[in-house]
Amino acid sequence: ARGIRRVQGTAWIIGDLPFGSYQESKEQALRSATVLMQAGAHMVKLEGGGWTTEIVHFLVERGIPVCAHLGLTPQTVHALGGYRVQGRGDSATKLRQEAVALQDAGATMMVLEMVPEPLSTALTQELPTCHTIGIGAGNGTAGQVLVMHDMLGVNLGRNPKFVHNFMEGQSSVLAAMSAYVAAVKNGTFPDNAKHAWE
């Protein structure tokens, strides 16, 4: 937040509520979200479906913008059985119901992570007041997110399917980030054939 103020930037800062900072109660969530907002966040993000709906409503009612997060939720990846696509088969109906409930609770943004492209595209159309942000969810969402280390090829091991190394062929980190922004805006990233699941 200080860095953005220093350069008089206008980036939207979303503070991710850490694991254990909102699971106990909606009051704990409010205390945790307040810390992030006071530090300069414009919005808070929390992971999870149905059980978070009451928390989202509680925060929004108190003036805190909320970004929900469905599909693969990294904070609880072990409960999901590992890094696997979420929202296939019967679980698609549940994910869709949770997305609508979170929108109705007041979430105005929603990360859809490792959700099949047809479902994420359908949700983008079905959630008129909640903007979808995809990560490994295809190009039918309203926006895209890619972890900076993945985008720059600075990671260990095998990359997930949805990652593209934008540092390749670039002379600087700034050039790689600019290439990422351009690819998202012109629709060449993500390429559903390469970076998404059916």
Side-chain angles (χ1 to χ4, degrees):
R2 283 192 306 270
I4 288 173
R5 283 194 297 270
R6 192 176 305 120
V7 298
Q8 297 180 347
T10 59
W12 186 254
I13 300 172
I14 302 174
D16 202 350
L17 287 166
F19 183 79
S21 68
Y22 60 96
Q23 284 84 352
E24 185 179 310
S25 66
K26 58 189 181 187
E27 290 79 12
Q28 181 201 28
L30 177 61
R31 288 191 301 274
S32 300
T34 299
V35 171
L36 291 177
M37 297 297 286
Q38 288 173 338
H42 300 115
M43 172 179 264
V44 299
K45 183 177 83 64
L46 53 83
E47 297 181 5
W51 69 272
T52 65
T53 304
E54 184 182 351
I55 293 170
V56 169
H57 179 73
F58 191 76
L59 295 177
V60 169
E61 209 173 41
R62 283 151 183 80
I64 298 175
V66 175
C67 175
H69 187 148
L70 290 175
L72 180 87
T73 48
Q75 292 180 10
T76 55
V77 68
H78 302 297
L80 300 173
Y83 291 90
R84 299 176 182 189
V85 177
Q86 304 294 310
R88 283 186 169 148
D90 293 340
S91 67
T93 300
K94 181 181 178 193
L95 195 144
R96 180 177 259 124
Q97 291 168 343
E98 290 176 340
V100 171
L102 287 163
Q103 173 192 251
D104 292 348
T108 54
M109 192 178 291
M110 184 176 304
V111 172
L112 297 173
E113 184 165 354
M114 288 183 70
V115 172
E117 180 276 325
L119 178 57
S120 64
T121 298
L123 285 171
T124 299
Q125 296 165 1
E126 292 168 15
L127 302 173
T129 62
C130 188
H131 305 287
T132 58
I133 307 296
I135 181 166
N139 62 17
T141 54
Q144 297 294 326
V145 64
L146 190 57
V147 172
M148 184 178 70
H149 294 82
D150 290 339
M151 180 182 69
L152 299 176
V154 184
N155 52 20
L156 301 172
R158 203 179 94 217
N159 281 328
K161 177 181 180 175
F162 58 84
V163 170
H164 177 78
N165 180 355
F166 283 89
M167 194 68 201
E168 287 180 3
Q170 301 300 330
S171 59
S172 68
V173 170
L174 180 59
M177 290 183 170
S178 296
Y180 166 72
V181 170
V184 170
K185 286 185 176 182
N186 70 28
T188 57
F189 180 82
D191 178 342
N192 287 345
K194 295 179 188 174
H195 306 115
W197 288 270
E198 289 296 321

